[in-house]
């Protein structure tokens, strides 16, 4: 009889170094784990994670303690009529047609400006020179805020993400997140009030003016949504772009195909969301006793849903540990909708409202990088590694390429 394999602790250095090996053990031997330090049940199989995202028995009540201290109350915590109304207030600004008409130039400009800063050097770090800044700069500009504040928002974004991923409850990380909450509110509330008096053509004005069935967003609601947008909109795109480039560089034949046909970028994005997702775990809370992973999870418990494991479940995806943008079990036409086969944007009523924004940023960003950086390859001796447990992506991505002149003059 074969002895059961031991699963590395989710808070251990061994797990942080290589969660994928741990995911394989969980999927095969331990689909339901009680984790005492986190006071959470951990589920890893695709079927269980998908259920937790879609079924009404699972709530987002855990966000009351996990997210609200740093964001305030957001759409993620709401349900029923309250959630439907709030989603209807914010969703129109993130639909494909609205994004293309109003915000695509903002996305294109910010990407080009960042690339212009290093394209003449012949070397760059895709993470630190580009991906980490791009989505935050886009969000600041979409909101119609002062472009001189990019660095401040970058610091706030970093602090919020650290707070949300603070699984070990480091006191300094928690305190910094709460300080960021106060600083962001002090900065945003006066701007929101001024914007209400003088609406413009920006996202913040859209949120201020939005009304559905007599309901509108308060100043605090809008501030909370901005905080959420920084975290969800920044982290997904930041790590996704870096991971797409890393995955393609490690698979030269697929990189060649994408370089020759930019229409394949959505395929590369969808496969990256499955293979190396930016967000590896999301928590839920059952309102009643539920059966998961061959066991019973009591009502009111916290359930940690391992997206990174579920997206590599061999019962759902063929050759799950292989990066393949041409796989036929991950349809691209639904990959950025609530019908997605991967789980990286969640599913059901809390499917990521900013999925199409992320798609637009990735299509522009990856396309511009490939066009501006001919013969892109990893820098000599570079061996990029991923970091992170709650969210995960390359720590750095040093590359080299033939220098090219600036395509435009940065503003």
């Amino acid at each position: 009889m074969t002895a059961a394999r031991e699963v590395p602790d989710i808070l251990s250095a061994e797990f942080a170094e290589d969660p994928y090996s741990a995911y394989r053990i969980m999927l095969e031997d331990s689909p339901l784990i009680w984790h005492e330090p986190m006071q959470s049940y951990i589920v890893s199989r695709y079927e269980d994670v998908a259920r937790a995202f879609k079924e009404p028995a699972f709530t987002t009540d855990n966000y009351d303690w996990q997210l609200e201290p740093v964001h305030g109350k957001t759409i993620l915590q709401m349900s029923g009529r309250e959630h439907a109304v709030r989603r209807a207030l914010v969703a129109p600004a993130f639909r494909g047609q609205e994004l293309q008409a109003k915000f695509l130039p903002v996305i294109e400009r910010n990407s080009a400006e960042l690339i212009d800063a290093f394209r003449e050097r012949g070397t760059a770090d895709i993470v630190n020179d580009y991906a980490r800044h791009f989505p935050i700069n886009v969000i600041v500009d979409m909101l119609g805020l002062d472009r001189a504040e990019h660095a401040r928002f970058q610091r706030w974004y970093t602090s919020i993400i650290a707070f949300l991923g603070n699984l070990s409850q480091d006191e300094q990380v928690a305190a910094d997140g709460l300080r960021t909450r106060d600083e962001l509110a002090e900065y945003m509330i006066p701007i929101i009030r001024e914007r209400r008096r003088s609406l413009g053509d920006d996202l913040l004005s859209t949120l201020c003016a939005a009304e559905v069935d007599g309901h509108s967003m308060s100043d605090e609601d809008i501030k909370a949504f901005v905080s959420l947008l920084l975290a969800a909109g920044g982290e997904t795109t930041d790590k996704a772009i870096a991971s797409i480039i890393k995955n393609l560089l490690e698979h030269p034949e697929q990189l060649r195909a994408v370089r020759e046909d930019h229409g394949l970028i959505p395929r590369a994005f969808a496969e990256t969301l499955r293979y190396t997702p930016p967000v590896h775990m999301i928590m839920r809370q059952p309102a009643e006793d539920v059966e998961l992973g061959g066991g019973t999870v009591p009502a009111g418990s916290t359930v940690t849903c391992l997206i990174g494991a579920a997206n590599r479940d061999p019962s759902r995806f063929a050759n799950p540990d292989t990066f393949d943008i041409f796989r036929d079990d991950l349809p691209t036409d639904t990959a950025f909708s609530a019908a997605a086969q991967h789980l990286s944007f969640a599913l059901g009523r809390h499917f990521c409202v900013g999925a199409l924004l992320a798609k637009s940023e990735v299509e522009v960003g990856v396309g511009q990088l490939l066009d501006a950086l001919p013969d892109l390859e990893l820098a000599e001796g570079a061996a990029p590694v991923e970091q992170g447990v709650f969210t995960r992506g390359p720590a750095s991505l040093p590359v080299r390429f033939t220098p090219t002149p600036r395509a435009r003059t940065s503003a």
Side-chain angles (χ1 to χ4, degrees):
M1 182 174 179
T2 303
R5 294 172 293 176
E6 184 176 350
V7 181
D9 187 277
I10 199 169
L11 299 181
S12 68
E14 180 184 1
F15 183 91
E17 181 178 356
D18 178 19
Y20 302 106
S21 295
Y23 293 159
R24 283 192 289 273
I25 299 174
M26 293 178 183
L27 288 166
E28 294 173 11
D29 300 341
S30 304
L32 179 67
I33 298 172
W34 168 250
H35 192 272
E36 183 69 27
M38 288 172 52
Q39 290 291 292
S40 176
Y41 289 89
I42 299 174
V43 295
S44 51
R45 290 181 177 169
Y46 185 97
E47 179 182 7
D48 293 328
V49 174
R51 279 187 59 206
F53 288 160
K54 291 191 296 186
E55 293 186 3
F58 292 88
T59 74
T60 56
D61 290 350
N62 56 287
Y63 287 155
D64 292 351
W65 56 263
Q66 187 185 8
L67 301 186
E68 187 166 346
V70 71
H71 285 318
K73 188 174 183 180
T74 71
I75 189 173
L76 295 179
Q77 296 156 260
M78 300 173 186
S79 59
R81 173 66 176 165
E82 183 183 27
H83 175 264
V85 169
R86 181 61 57 80
R87 193 172 181 95
L89 286 167
V90 303
F94 296 93
R95 290 177 183 148
Q97 187 173 11
E98 178 79 2
L99 284 170
Q100 294 295 315
K102 185 180 291 188
F103 298 124
L104 185 59
V106 173
I107 295 170
E108 291 173 337
R109 182 184 68 239
N110 276 283
S111 176
E113 289 175 353
L114 287 167
I115 293 171
D116 276 352
F118 58 76
R119 63 187 296 164
E120 295 177 317
R121 293 203 314 252
T123 63
D125 182 335
I126 297 298
V127 173
N128 294 301
D129 291 332
Y130 183 86
R132 187 164 291 160
H133 305 282
F134 176 41
I136 302 305
N137 292 0
V138 167
I139 289 169
V140 170
D141 287 5
M142 285 176 64
L143 290 166
L145 302 175
D146 186 351
R147 303 191 85 211
E149 300 291 0
H150 282 172
R152 187 192 299 202
F153 273 86
Q154 186 72 40
R155 176 171 58 81
W156 285 338
Y157 154 67
T158 302
S159 173
I160 292 169
I161 289 299
F163 182 96
L164 299 181
N166 189 20
L167 301 179
S168 61
Q169 296 302 300
D170 182 284
E171 292 183 0
Q172 183 58 47
V173 171
D176 189 53
L178 296 180
R179 184 165 53 252
T180 290
R181 174 199 62 193
D182 296 340
E183 290 177 0
L184 182 61
E186 183 178 359
Y187 176 85
M188 285 302 308
I189 296 297
I191 293 176
I192 292 167
R193 290 171 179 166
E194 175 59 31
R195 200 63 53 91
R196 289 191 191 278
R197 292 191 289 268
S198 180
L199 295 175
D201 194 34
D202 51 73
L203 176 58
L204 192 58
S205 295
T206 299
L207 297 173
C208 287
E211 184 174 326
V212 173
D213 296 336
H215 295 273
S216 59
M217 298 175 71
S218 69
D219 296 348
E220 174 60 29
D221 292 337
I222 294 174
K223 185 276 299 179
F225 183 76
V226 169
S227 180
L228 176 63
L229 184 61
L230 280 176
E235 189 73 349
T236 300
T237 307
D238 168 356
K239 288 183 165 51
I241 288 179
S243 293
I244 290 169
I245 298 297
K246 176 178 180 290
N247 290 336
L248 291 174
L249 287 170
E250 293 175 344
H251 298 81
E253 72 292 345
Q254 296 183 56
L255 172 60
R256 191 177 308 112
V258 174
R259 185 184 290 281
E260 293 174 357
D261 179 6
H262 286 191
L264 294 175
I265 293 175
R267 279 184 170 269
F269 186 20
E271 176 64 348
T272 292
L273 288 172
R274 184 202 67 81
Y275 181 70
T276 50
V279 179
H280 272 236
M281 59 184 70
I282 290 179
M283 296 179 181
R284 290 290 187 263
Q285 184 171 310
E288 57 193 50
D289 292 357
V290 293
E291 297 298 315
L292 280 180
T296 300
V297 175
S301 303
T302 299
V303 178
T304 299
C305 304
L306 295 183
I307 295 170
N311 280 342
R312 292 195 181 203
D313 189 335
S315 72
R316 181 61 189 82
F317 297 103
N319 302 312
D321 295 323
T322 299
F323 178 80
D324 180 9
I325 67 173
F326 299 107
R327 64 171 54 250
D328 57 14
D329 52 6
L330 187 65
T332 310
D333 58 345
T334 59
F336 311 101
S337 73
Q341 297 302 302
H342 65 81
L343 301 177
S344 296
F345 287 133
L347 293 174
R349 64 191 181 280
H350 287 291
F351 177 80
C352 178
V353 71
L356 290 180
L357 171 60
K359 179 174 181 286
S360 295
E361 290 175 316
V362 164
E363 288 181 325
V364 169
V366 173
Q368 287 192 0
L369 284 166
L370 294 181
D371 286 342
L373 312 180
D375 51 42
L376 178 69
E377 62 182 2
L378 286 172
E380 185 175 359
V385 296
E386 294 181 355
Q387 69 177 9
V389 175
F390 177 70
T391 62
R392 189 171 180 85
S396 66
L397 190 59
V399 296
R400 61 185 180 184
F401 48 87
T402 299
T404 58
R406 294 188 179 196
R408 52 174 292 151
T409 301
S410 298

